[in-house]
Amino acid sequence: MKHLIDPTDLTREETDQIIDLALEIIADRPAWQEKMAHRKLSTLFYEPSTRTRLSFTAAMMELGGNVLGFADAANSSVSKGETVQDTVRVVSSFVDIIAMRHYIEGAQLYASEVSPVPIINAGDGSHSHPTQTLTDLLTIRRELGHIDGITIGFCGDLRFGRTVHSLIKALARYKDVKVVLIAPEALKLPDYIRRDVCDKMKIDYREVETMEEVMPELDILYMTRVQKERFLDEDEFDRVKDSFRLDCEKLSQAKSRMAVLHPLPRVNEILPEVDADPRAAYFRQVENGKFVRMALIVKLLEWKDDPAHGMPQDDFPIYNPHAKCTNPKCICASEAAPHKFRRSTDGELRCWYCDAKVR
Ligand code: NCD
């Protein structure tokens, strides 16, 4: 069965099939309004969300299906100490498919190990956010007409921004994509993405500190918020919180067909004056999120019993009872997850659930 926990759970072909279906849905919305009649989606959100949860809800409703779940784990059995695996075992007996957001990294992967229905990761800590990636890919297709050959600048919090990590992983499968990483030292991309994705997949990437120096060459400028909630040290956040500001003057140096993306919410990194510029694509991007989630729900349920669409088989876990993941934000720290690891390209042992280096 296919779950969507990480963008690489989908092959490039499956990813393109979902984006193509989203484009079909956009072209003829009435044709899809009964597609999920009598089927149910559960949204289990352990972390705040506005657009992602509402977007899943709107997507299932627009397909004629129903939605149940919680937006605040404090009002569920979780507050009594229930594990994510037990919650999923229970909820899966009521619904056809589950979308889960969790502040703990690897929670959805761990939950998927016992789930008889597809699990969609709607964001796990600062780790992954694969449905935002599908949203971003659809937006790039609609704004530019293609994904191959683009030059994309990622600007802001590349360290904790899960949408950045997931989109880079997905773009590694497209041809001739150039990546420019725009961030100060304290917000740089984590090592595991740089080595196991950028280096391994031979992505053409470089690092700079200002958006001005690269603006004229970009096809996509992907802005992100500094992820305040992920900093353990408030002073460190204060030092970097105002690192970037996109305004009309900076944008005047960009190509006339460049598109500005942002997963939203924005704080201060894009000034409101930019909203009126036709290159500001972030509100169109939100709507694309609903269409791509409609396509994803349809495809995951279509593929559910098809052995040709299982989970990727090219990565096997290493079980080692003596090694231990020490990431305090990993599912291994809060639940009795097995001691499972993978060997990264540079030979290091990394946690199966959160990708943290095992020391
Ligand atoms: C993002 C997220 O939750 O990671 N938002 C979203 O899902 N659209 C980005 C963010 O919170 O900054």
Side-chain angles (χ1 to χ4, degrees), residues 264-281:
L264 301 179
R266 76 172 141 184
V267 182
N268 55 6
E269 57 281 354
I270 303 181
L271 294 197
E273 64 178 29
V274 174
D275 299 356
D277 190 293
R279 290 167 289 193

Side-chain angles (χ1 to χ4, degrees), residues 20 34 41 76 100 173 233 264-265 291 301 319 329 338:
D20 289 341
E34 296 298 326
L41 162 78
S76 75
M100 183 194 286
R173 275 107 157 262
D233 174 355
L264 301 179
F291 294 124
L301 290 178
Y319 289 86
K329 299 177 195 161

